[in-house]
């Protein structure tokens, strides 16, 4: 695990964002923000608002018609929602009627309205982010069936009677969006497939070490799933997500709340969601504000090879390739190869993973890198990966490696994979394959002068599926530890 990653904190992958211009176009096309802009342009001296800045009841029908909607209950609700966004984002400015002793407040164009057509893409995105934050607040707000029941003696909201904890609700939805960010962006840093709503709800409820959820936990997951169904319906119009809601027929089939899907059942009926490119941008901003560090693919393109190999060390493979390709694209292949090989040297704990990332980077460098690779054939730390690179390209005149280099490379390779915290089955396959390739493997490996020899042998003793081989690995680890 990287030393700077706090225990228990999920590792958020780097992301490939669309350009600001593309994101700004998406922001202005988000249905809710587009409606808010239309209402801000519609509003004038005759527009009347209440004490909270809301449109008066008489204004809702004309506002709905200004949006091209029917002035029925749904149309008025859409207009009311869009107006709140216009107020919250500064597209309009309202005066409180209580300030002037009047029955209604007045409305003027807000400072944000000119930015819609005259601002930079960054201005538009800042406007959209404000709208997203306002919609987020709406999404976590409680549904008040009897508003009078939660008014305290002082006229304010009695949160105890409401049974609503705004901090806990914020933390829950932020956690959901953080997990959705992970599941949506995946290992490539770009928006991928849709996430089943039951899986997203389970990611927040089911403990990592629980192999078989109890009925009580499954009930909590079902409750969370329906809670998220309501919240994603609120978040979708601002352009944050693409959402397929829970099939309402399930409510009829199962009762008030549907049970979780069976193994053979169509999971899409239980809701599917993914972040849009704009949503990826918006959630990333919220995560950064909360203290997370989330790189953007391309951040390392202007830095040196040391920064590249250290930076991509714990990236998912797809994101690491994308970052490395950008770095290589800004340099001459031969010089880039020399810099990468120089940066890969070292005996520190992170060096094996740096060499692995160097080998992966060289795979993208092309045949022009060959002179730099041949220059390190006699290097103890780099000679093994150099031979692998040349052999993979069918290069002639590749000298066979000394036996000591073969086993040193085996230790280095396993150490890198262990540090990368990759798929356990893949690491086991690597260990089984290396042991099977070499007779007397452990008789030779415990003598390898590599800083990770003991740790690698101990890991092999834990991970090798064959009991006898695992025992041989532990014996070799003991010898290596005694030798050091």
């Amino acid at each position: 695990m990287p030393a700077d990653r706090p225990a228990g904190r999920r590792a958020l992958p780097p992301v490939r964002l669309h350009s600001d211009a593309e994101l700004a176009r998406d922001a202005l096309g988000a249905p809710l923000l587009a409606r808010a802009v239309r209402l801000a342009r519609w509003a004038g001296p005759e527009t009347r608002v209440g004490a909270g800045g809301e449109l008066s009841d008489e204004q809702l029908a004309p506002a709905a018609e200004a949006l091209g909607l029917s002035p029925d209950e749904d149309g008025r609700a859409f207009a009311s929602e869009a107006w709140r966004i216009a107020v919250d984002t500064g597209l309009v400015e309202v005066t409180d009627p209580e300030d002037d002793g009047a029955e209604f407040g007045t409305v003027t164009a807000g400072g944000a309205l000119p930015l819609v057509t005259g601002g930079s893409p960054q201005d538009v995105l800042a406007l959209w982010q404000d709208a997203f934050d306002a919609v987020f607040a709406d999404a976590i707000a409680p549904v008040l069936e009897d508003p009078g029941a939660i008014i305290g003696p002082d006229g304010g909201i009695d949160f105890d009677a409401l049974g609503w904890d705004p901090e806990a609700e914020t933390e829950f939805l932020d956690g959901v969006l953080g997990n959705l960010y992970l599941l949506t962006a995946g290992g490539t840093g770009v928006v991928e497939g849709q996430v089943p709503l039951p899986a997203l709800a389970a990611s927040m409820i089911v403990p990592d070490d629980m192999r078989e959820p109890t009925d009580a936990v499954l009930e909590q997951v079902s409750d969370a799933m329906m809670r998220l169904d309501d919240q994603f319906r609120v978040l979708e119009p601002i352009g944050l997500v693409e959402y397929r809601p829970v099939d309402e027929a399930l409510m009829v089939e199962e009762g008030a709340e549907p049970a979780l899907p069976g193994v053979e059942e169509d999971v899409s009926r239980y809701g599917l969601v993914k972040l849009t490119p704009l949503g990826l941008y918006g959630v990333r901003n919220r995560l950064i504000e909360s203290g997370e560090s989330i790189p953007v693919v391309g951040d390392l393109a202007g830095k040196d090879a040391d920064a590249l190999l250290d930076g991509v060390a714990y990236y998912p493979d797809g994101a690491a390739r994308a970052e490395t390709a950008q770095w290589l694209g800004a340099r001459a292949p031969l010089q880039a190869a020399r810099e990468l090989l120089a940066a890969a040297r070292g005996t520190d704990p992170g060096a094996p993973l740096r060499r692995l990332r160097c080998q992966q980077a060289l795979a993208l460098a092309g045949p022009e890198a060959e002179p730099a690779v041949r220059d390190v054939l006699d290097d103890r730390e780099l000679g093994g990966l150099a031979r692998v690179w040349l052999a993979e390209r069918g290069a002639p005149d590749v000298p066979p490696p000394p036996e000591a280099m073969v086993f040193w490379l085996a230790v280095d390779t396993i150490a890198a994979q262990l540090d990368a915290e990759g798929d356990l089955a893949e690491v086991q396959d690597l260990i089984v394959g290396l042991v099977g390739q070499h007779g007397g493997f452990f008789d030779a490996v415990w003598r390898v002068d590599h800083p990770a020899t003991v740790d690698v042998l101990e890991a092999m003793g834990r991970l090798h599926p064959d009991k006898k081989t695992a025992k041989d690995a532990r014996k070799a680890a003991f010898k290596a530890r005694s030798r050091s």
Side-chain angles (χ1 to χ4, degrees):
M1 175 179 289
D4 59 349
R5 187 189 307 167
R9 174 178 289 181
R10 59 179 176 235
L12 292 166
V15 63
R16 282 187 275 185
L17 296 175
H18 287 194
S19 70
D20 284 351
E22 291 174 303
L23 292 171
R25 284 195 295 271
D26 290 345
L28 293 175
L32 183 52
L33 184 57
R35 290 195 291 265
V37 170
R38 289 180 69 179
L39 286 187
R41 290 170 175 160
W42 162 82
E46 303 302 317
T47 307
R48 299 188 298 276
V49 298
E54 74 282 358
L55 284 172
S56 66
D57 289 342
E58 296 81 4
Q59 298 276 274
L60 288 174
E65 291 175 340
L67 294 175
L69 303 172
S70 173
D72 58 14
E73 183 178 354
D74 287 342
R76 293 195 300 273
F78 280 124
S80 177
E81 179 187 37
W83 182 258
R84 289 199 308 274
I85 295 301
V87 172
D88 289 342
T89 58
L91 289 168
V92 295
E93 295 291 341
V94 298
T95 60
D96 192 320
E98 294 181 358
D99 293 342
D100 301 323
E103 182 180 2
F104 295 106
T106 58
V107 179
T108 57
L113 186 56
L115 299 177
V116 173
T117 55
S120 67
Q122 292 78 14
D123 292 329
V124 171
L125 289 172
L127 173 66
W128 178 85
Q129 192 78 37
D130 289 342
F132 166 35
D133 290 342
V135 174
F136 184 99
D138 286 343
I140 65 170
V143 177
L144 302 180
E145 295 181 359
D146 181 9
I150 52 90
I151 302 300
D154 60 353
I157 296 176
D158 184 348
F159 286 103
D160 290 335
L162 183 60
W164 180 63
D165 183 343
E167 290 186 4
E169 293 295 330
T170 297
E171 183 179 354
F172 177 81
L173 187 51
D174 270 331
V176 167
L177 293 177
N179 285 354
L180 182 59
Y181 181 99
L182 274 170
L183 295 168
T184 300
T188 61
V190 298
V191 173
E192 295 182 343
Q194 291 182 306
V195 177
L197 198 59
L200 186 58
S203 74
M204 295 297 296
I205 303 297
V206 181
D208 291 339
D209 58 354
M210 180 176 285
R211 298 184 62 182
E212 193 69 33
T214 63
D215 289 344
V217 168
L218 291 175
E219 184 175 349
Q220 291 179 49
V221 172
S222 182
D223 291 343
M225 186 177 76
M226 299 314 299
R227 178 179 173 191
L228 291 175
D229 181 59
D230 290 336
Q231 291 177 328
F232 284 130
R233 289 173 192 257
V234 174
L235 292 168
E236 185 178 31
I238 199 60
L240 189 83
V241 294
E242 291 179 14
Y243 183 53
R244 177 173 175 175
V246 175
D247 186 346
E248 293 185 2
L250 289 170
M251 311 290 187
V252 177
E253 295 170 11
E254 303 287 351
E257 293 182 357
L260 297 178
V263 175
E264 301 297 329
E265 196 167 356
D266 178 9
V267 73
S268 67
R269 296 187 67 201
Y270 292 77
L272 294 172
V273 63
K274 76 172 180 178
L275 291 173
T276 64
L278 183 62
L280 206 63
Y281 167 87
V283 172
R284 178 177 181 268
N285 285 345
R286 281 189 71 91
L287 290 167
I288 289 173
E289 288 176 3
S290 72
E292 295 281 5
S293 176
I294 311 174
V296 173
V297 172
D299 281 351
L300 302 175
K303 299 187 177 181
D304 62 20
D306 294 271
L308 174 71
L309 296 183
D310 285 337
V312 303
Y314 297 98
Y315 279 17
D317 287 343
R321 282 193 299 272
E323 183 72 58
T324 302
Q326 289 200 31
W327 188 89
L328 289 168
R331 290 160 179 80
L334 180 57
Q335 183 58 32
R338 295 191 192 284
E339 292 175 14
L340 288 166
L341 288 163
R345 288 191 174 92
T347 57
D348 58 283
L353 186 51
R354 278 203 311 278
R355 282 186 282 272
L356 175 62
R357 291 306 192 194
C358 172
Q359 185 171 353
Q360 293 167 342
L362 290 172
L364 304 176
E368 297 89 347
E370 183 169 339
V373 174
R374 286 192 177 276
D375 284 347
V376 299
L377 281 171
D378 294 330
D379 188 294
R380 187 181 72 161
E381 295 178 4
L382 304 177
L385 71 84
R387 285 169 169 80
V388 171
W389 189 91
L390 291 167
E392 287 177 345
R393 280 155 186 75
D397 304 323
V398 180
E403 183 178 82
M405 183 178 287
V406 170
F407 290 108
W408 195 97
L409 179 61
V411 171
D412 202 58
T413 301
I414 297 172
Q417 294 292 348
L418 292 170
D419 191 17
E421 300 179 318
D423 183 82
L424 183 60
E426 292 182 3
V427 177
Q428 287 181 314
D429 288 344
L430 172 65
I431 289 172
V432 171
L434 287 172
V435 173
Q437 287 175 13
H438 307 283
F441 181 87
F442 294 112
D443 289 337
V445 167
W446 73 265
R447 296 181 171 87
V448 171
D449 185 18
H450 189 293
T453 296
V454 173
D455 290 339
V456 164
L457 287 169
E458 289 178 342
M460 295 178 80
R462 293 191 304 271
L463 297 175
H464 201 288
D466 179 74
K467 290 184 178 181
K468 181 181 184 306
T469 305
K471 183 177 181 181
D472 290 342
R474 291 192 293 271
K475 288 181 179 178
F478 178 80
K479 291 180 181 179
R481 193 182 304 108
S482 301
R483 177 174 178 265
S484 60

